[in-house]
Amino acid sequence: MDYLKRIRGLREDNDLTQAEVAALLRVGQKTYSDYELGKTRIPLDSVIMLARFYNVDMNYLCGVSDRRMKFPTK
């Protein structure tokens, strides 16, 4: 699952801990850890929050594309 690698890679590239990203998503660190491990599916609203936070488009974050585009603005 590419998106699992992506969310972990983006977090690590930004020198963030799981606890810091979990706080952004308003979930516990264990829940976020389960997201990265694929034990729990990430809710769509959380995926959108991560894409916006890391300024990457959903296709990149979800592993659909390897092309890293910015999060679209209105």
Side-chain angles (χ1 to χ4, degrees):
M1 292 183 215
D2 287 338
Y3 77 93
L4 301 175
K5 294 177 187 174
R6 290 278 161 84
I7 63 170
R8 181 177 181 168
L10 286 165
R11 177 181 60 77
E12 290 175 345
D13 289 347
N14 287 277
D15 297 321
L16 298 169
T17 65
Q18 287 183 344
E20 290 169 324
V21 178
L24 168 78
L25 299 178
R26 296 185 174 148
V27 298
Q29 182 274 326
K30 173 72 171 116
T31 299
Y32 183 77
S33 175
D34 287 346
Y35 292 165
E36 284 191 2
L37 294 172
K39 292 181 179 180
T40 303
R41 288 194 180 258
I42 305 172
L44 182 58
D45 60 330
S46 295
V47 175
I48 294 168
M49 287 176 70
L50 288 174
R52 183 175 285 129
F53 178 74
Y54 292 126
N55 195 27
V56 297
D57 71 319
M58 297 287 287
N59 289 328
Y60 178 80
L61 184 66
C62 295
V64 174
S65 172
D66 289 331
R67 189 170 173 205
R68 190 171 178 166
M69 304 285 289
K70 291 185 177 187
F71 189 83
T73 57
K74 293 182 180 182

